[in-house]
Amino acid sequence: MSGLGPERLSLNTATVRERWNLSQCIDGCVRHGFGGIAPWRDKLQEMGTSAAARSIRDAGLEVTGVCRGGWFTENGVLDAEVLDENRRAVDEAEEIGAACLVMVVGGLSADSRDLPAAWRLVEDGLAATLEYARTAGVKIAIEPLHPMYAADRACVNTMRQALDICDRLGEGIGCAVDVYHVWWDSELDSQIARAGSDRLLAFHICDWLVPTRDMLTDRGMMGDGVIDIPRLRCMVEQNGFSGLNEVEIFSELDWWRRDPDEVLGTIAERARTAC
Amino acid sequence: MSGLGPERLSLNTATVRERWNLSQCIDGCVRHGFGGIAPWRDKLQEMGTSAAARSIRDAGLEVTGVCRGGWFTENGVLDAEVLDENRRAVDEAEEIGAACLVMVVGGLSADSRDLPAAWRLVEDGLAATLEYARTAGVKIAIEPLHPMYAADRACVNTMRQALDICDRLGEGIGCAVDVYHVWWDSELDSQIARAGSDRLLAFHICDWLVPTRDMLTDRGMMGDGVIDIPRLRCMVEQNGFSGLNEVEIFSELDWWRRDPDEVLGTIAERARTAC
């Protein structure tokens, strides 16, 4: 499998979040020949969703996802606040024509050690949001996060666990596969095959650095770490995923400090050589 | 399920490794009424394995495990150095009458991104070591490490993955279940049931802190984090594990800095209230 041209890339706005607003991200994608973009909701709301939708459409960019819905465990109950917030996220995903709404489902509730209770809250929250999303024609993508985030960000941590939820909830829900979160999993191959094209809704790339100096914001540029990205990309593509490769790099110590044009240039280069 | 008395505890020497040698650990266990000990090999070799065996026996302590064999991927091939080192670890485990030799299997080989190759090396290394261990009457315990260590410490990261290996290799091999590494796993319950008493060879306790400030040395004292230790202990005991609860806390920032007698006193107290 040969490397990727920039037209096969989507920029997740988190990658340059410290220096560019959404309008600058859109212009940057065009300038570097990227095929798509995936805005975080803070950037979307800052620009205004309608203006963003228009600008992204005029730029000819696909929207590979909106980050993010979820956080179902935040209040310890599925209250109106949590459910309304997720409905708003669905509305925004619909308005900008996103391929999916990415779900970071939430970890343990405050002062709780009850992981099974968190799992139940998450599944109920996903079910409620999915019902609404179906009426809006928006697909819900559960993003299994790395198990090191189980306590404080997301208690869905493997493809198997996410797909078990999808199977129980039915149509319109699938997974966002981020190599950073799932690369270690001995079941990855079989679970991606199980997912198939209906459930493979997004593919996110970056790299796992050794050592990792910070659990949240020390992700690497593709090629600088240990993930065999071509192997993983091959897995999802052979199982029916045909979307863009969304680049999401949280990097407080390195890439967030650089000129975003340098970052996008490096991404385009590494896509050819390391993906 | 009520809390644990100190006679149900074993001290993994890593918990006080910065301040006590093995002889002091043995005396400390007796002083605090612990039922067992689990020495790391550096402490064992420092004291001399024969002297250690005698001293532990005279103190009336069980040996819940020896830490550690493994690191099969370290040289990129299973060479004589790696296999000999593991045979020596088996010999030491035999000499001190350990319930098992704990295996930290190794991560990716240097400059490699080939995780399937690492898995193969590990399984071949385990098979070779198991063959030797059977003749010595020593049980091999694969310790699935948290997925955040997949690159640099152990590429076996779930109970399912470890038990799949056990099933392929047969008798005399099982798992060391450390709550820190596996607490997040949605399959934990079913995989512990699958393991049963034949494969449940050790149970390690500590806690997962939020936030975790260091990926290796910021484990918490039981009760200070988010792991539901009583639930997990109940799981292993209901599935036939009847060994001691081995306390292994890596804590550069906190417990390693304290007087070990304070640490053992706190462990005994938390065993009653938080385990």
Side-chain angles (χ1 to χ4, degrees):
Chain A
M1 187 179 283
S2 60
L4 295 164
E7 74 286 355
R8 299 293 307 144
L9 299 175
S10 170
L11 177 70
N12 183 298
T13 62
T15 306
V16 293
R17 76 176 195 194
E18 301 298 317
R19 297 187 176 225
W20 274 357
N21 63 26
L22 184 50
S23 180
Q24 292 171 302
C25 288
I26 294 166
D27 292 345
C29 284
V30 171
R31 204 156 53 242
H32 291 269
F34 282 29
I37 194 165
W40 277 55
R41 294 183 64 209
D42 56 339
K43 300 280 185 198
L44 204 51
Q45 288 164 6
E46 184 188 56
M47 185 173 184
T49 307
S50 305
R54 206 162 39 242
S55 181
I56 291 169
R57 198 171 47 240
D58 291 349
L61 297 172
E62 284 181 41
V63 180
T64 53
V66 165
C67 291
R68 57 197 185 186
W71 295 100
F72 296 112
T73 54
E74 198 162 24
N75 293 348
V77 289
L78 275 182
D79 56 15
E81 186 191 12
V82 169
L83 293 173
D84 286 353
E85 188 58 30
N86 274 284
R87 281 191 286 263
R88 275 193 292 277
V90 169
D91 292 341
E92 289 165 14
E94 180 189 14
E95 188 164 2
I96 65 165
C100 61
L101 171 62
V102 173
M103 289 288 180
V104 171
V105 299
L108 291 167
S109 299
D111 301 321
S112 169
R113 294 188 177 92
D114 192 344
L115 194 52
W119 292 331
R120 287 190 295 272
L121 267 186
V122 162
E123 190 155 335
D124 289 347
L126 286 169
T129 307
L130 176 59
E131 194 171 353
Y132 182 74
R134 283 178 181 141
T135 67
V138 169
K139 296 213 171 176
I140 298 294
I142 305 171
E143 183 167 7
L145 291 206
H146 195 284
M148 69 186 172
Y149 305 123
D152 49 357
R153 300 188 168 266
C155 63
V156 175
N157 306 103
T158 61
M159 284 292 290
R160 174 188 282 270
Q161 185 185 6
L163 290 170
D164 285 350
I165 295 170
C166 291
D167 284 351
R168 289 190 291 268
L169 298 187
E171 295 296 303
I173 187 165
C175 293
V177 179
D178 185 319
V179 299
Y180 191 78
H181 297 304
V182 301
W183 71 276
W184 56 272
D185 187 355
S186 63
E187 289 205 299
L188 190 58
D189 207 331
S190 58
Q191 293 299 320
I192 283 176
R194 170 187 171 193
S197 59
D198 284 354
R199 302 280 197 209
L200 294 171
L201 301 181
F203 183 59
H204 298 183
I205 57 176
C206 69
D207 215 334
W208 179 279
L209 298 177
V210 179
T212 293
R213 296 161 294 175
D214 182 275
M215 280 173 60
L216 188 59
T217 59
D218 194 27
R219 300 191 192 183
M221 177 64 65
M222 295 80 74
D224 288 343
V226 298
I227 303 177
D228 187 347
I229 298 168
R231 185 172 74 91
L232 271 54
R233 180 163 75 86
C234 185
M235 272 187 209
V236 295
E237 293 185 354
Q238 288 188 341
N239 285 287
F241 179 74
S242 58
L244 300 180
N245 300 267
E246 182 178 323
V247 180
E248 184 179 36
I249 304 174
F250 290 29
S251 173
E252 181 72 53
L253 298 165
D254 189 349
W255 299 98
W256 283 354
R257 300 185 182 187
R258 303 202 198 189
D259 174 355
D261 272 304
E262 180 196 347
V263 177
L264 267 66
T266 306
I267 288 170
E269 177 200 320
R270 297 298 179 82
R272 281 190 302 272
T273 59
C275 296
Chain B
M1 187 178 283
S2 60
L4 295 164
E7 73 286 356
R8 300 292 307 144
L9 298 175
S10 170
L11 177 70
N12 183 299
T13 62
T15 305
V16 292
R17 76 177 195 192
E18 300 298 316
R19 296 186 175 226
W20 274 358
N21 61 27
L22 184 52
S23 179
Q24 291 171 302
C25 288
I26 294 166
D27 292 345
C29 284
V30 171
R31 204 157 54 243
H32 291 270
F34 282 28
I37 194 165
W40 277 56
R41 293 183 64 209
D42 57 339
K43 300 281 185 196
L44 204 51
Q45 289 165 5
E46 184 188 57
M47 184 172 185
T49 307
S50 306
R54 207 161 39 242
S55 181
I56 291 169
R57 198 171 49 239
D58 290 350
L61 297 172
E62 284 181 41
V63 180
T64 52
V66 165
C67 291
R68 58 196 183 186
W71 295 98
F72 297 112
T73 54
E74 198 161 25
N75 293 348
V77 290
L78 274 182
D79 56 16
E81 185 191 12
V82 169
L83 293 173
D84 287 352
E85 189 59 31
N86 274 283
R87 280 192 287 263
R88 274 193 292 276
V90 169
D91 292 341
E92 289 165 15
E94 180 189 13
E95 189 164 1
I96 64 165
C100 61
L101 171 61
V102 173
M103 289 289 179
V104 171
V105 298
L108 291 166
S109 300
D111 301 320
S112 169
R113 295 188 176 93
D114 192 343
L115 194 52
W119 293 331
R120 286 189 296 272
L121 267 187
V122 163
E123 189 155 335
D124 289 347
L126 286 170
T129 306
L130 176 60
E131 193 170 354
Y132 182 75
R134 283 178 182 141
T135 67
V138 169
K139 296 213 169 173
I140 298 293
I142 305 172
E143 183 167 8
L145 292 206
H146 195 284
M148 69 186 173
Y149 305 123
D152 49 357
R153 299 189 169 266
C155 63
V156 175
N157 305 103
T158 62
M159 285 291 290
R160 175 190 282 271
Q161 185 185 8
L163 290 169
D164 285 351
I165 295 171
C166 292
D167 283 352
R168 289 190 292 268
L169 298 187
E171 294 296 303
I173 187 165
C175 294
V177 179
D178 186 318
V179 299
Y180 191 77
H181 297 304
V182 301
W183 72 276
W184 56 272
D185 187 354
S186 63
E187 289 204 300
L188 190 58
D189 208 332
S190 58
Q191 293 299 320
I192 283 176
R194 170 187 173 194
S197 58
D198 284 354
R199 302 281 197 207
L200 293 171
L201 300 181
F203 183 59
H204 298 183
I205 56 176
C206 69
D207 215 334
W208 179 278
L209 299 177
V210 178
T212 292
R213 296 160 295 175
D214 182 275
M215 279 173 60
L216 188 58
T217 59
D218 195 27
R219 300 192 191 182
M221 177 63 66
M222 296 78 74
D224 288 342
V226 299
I227 302 177
D228 186 347
I229 299 169
R231 184 172 74 91
L232 271 55
R233 180 163 75 86
C234 186
M235 272 187 211
V236 295
E237 293 185 354
Q238 288 187 341
N239 286 286
F241 179 74
S242 57
L244 300 180
N245 301 267
E246 183 179 323
V247 180
E248 185 180 36
I249 304 175
F250 290 30
S251 173
E252 182 72 53
L253 298 165
D254 190 348
W255 298 98
W256 283 354
R257 299 184 182 188
R258 303 203 198 189
D259 174 354
D261 271 304
E262 180 195 348
V263 177
L264 267 66
T266 306
I267 288 170
E269 176 200 321
R270 297 296 178 83
R272 282 191 301 272
T273 58
C275 297

